[in-house]
Amino acid sequence: ISSVALFTSSDSICKGDTLQLNGIPVGGIYGGMGLTNNIFYSDSTSMIDNLVEYSIVSIVSNFACTTSTTKYLHVFPKDSIVFILPHDTICPMEPPFLISATPGGGVLSGNALFGQTFYPDSAVVLAFNPINYTYTNAFGCENNATDSVYVFDSPILSIIKAVDSLCINESIILEGIPAGGYF
């Protein structure tokens, strides 16, 4: 048998991703941790160099001849993301607030978010406003996380008065709707 070759689009992969292997000549067998047929699943491997093998067997004069090649695939970690949200529920008339996530250096995006500042008065009322954070580490492994801020509706207030005018030293009882507020 002539030589065999094992090709991949990359020799490194981020944890959680998959990589397709291609062996030449076709029809061989792939072996190694994390492999199912010719797909390398990094979730089922360790964070070290993973040895994969491609071999092909042929019968020559009643003898089984095996030719194989190996390759190391490097698995790199994705960084964990932690959101820092000062509020996860808020009213639209409250002041804007900063949102941050670690590790720093990623990109925040979402409704009512300008830079790192969330503006409640620009948010969708009576809804969860998603905030997404995407971070790519030095190995090129991207991870993202999503959190949200629920924006309540501002109550509609009214004052019920018994009369429209009073004389000096008279008093009336005011009633506010909805109940539970204060004057």
Side-chain angles (χ1 to χ4, degrees), residues 1-9 19-31 35-40 52-57 67-71 73:
I1 296 180
S2 61
S3 64
V4 296
L6 180 59
F7 297 100
T8 59
S9 58
L19 186 65
Q20 182 176 344
L21 306 162
N22 295 302
I24 296 177
V26 295
I29 299 170
Y30 299 89
L35 277 174
T36 301
N37 297 324
N38 69 326
I39 305 295
F40 178 73
V52 293
E53 179 181 32
Y54 179 71
S55 58
I56 197 156
V57 177
T67 303
S68 64
T69 187
T70 59
K71 178 177 247 185
L73 299 177

Side-chain angles (χ1 to χ4, degrees), residues 12-18 42 74-78 139-142:
S12 62
I13 186 171
C14 298
K15 191 74 167 176
D17 293 344
T18 60
S42 63
H74 313 284
V75 178
F76 294 115
K78 291 182 178 181
F139 302 116
C141 297
E142 182 180 287

Side-chain angles (χ1 to χ4, degrees), residues 51 56 94 120 154 173:
L51 184 65
I56 197 156
E94 293 189 45
S154 296
I173 296 174

Side-chain angles (χ1 to χ4, degrees), residues 63-111:
F63 292 103
C65 297
T66 302
T67 303
S68 64
T69 187
T70 59
K71 178 177 247 185
Y72 281 100
L73 299 177
H74 313 284
V75 178
F76 294 115
K78 291 182 178 181
D79 291 6
S80 296
I81 295 175
V82 178
F83 263 103
I84 301 167
L85 278 175
H87 307 282
D88 57 359
T89 59
I90 196 164
C91 293
M93 74 292 262
E94 293 189 45
F97 59 89
L98 285 174
I99 295 177
S100 61
T102 58
V107 176
L108 279 166
S109 61
N111 183 40

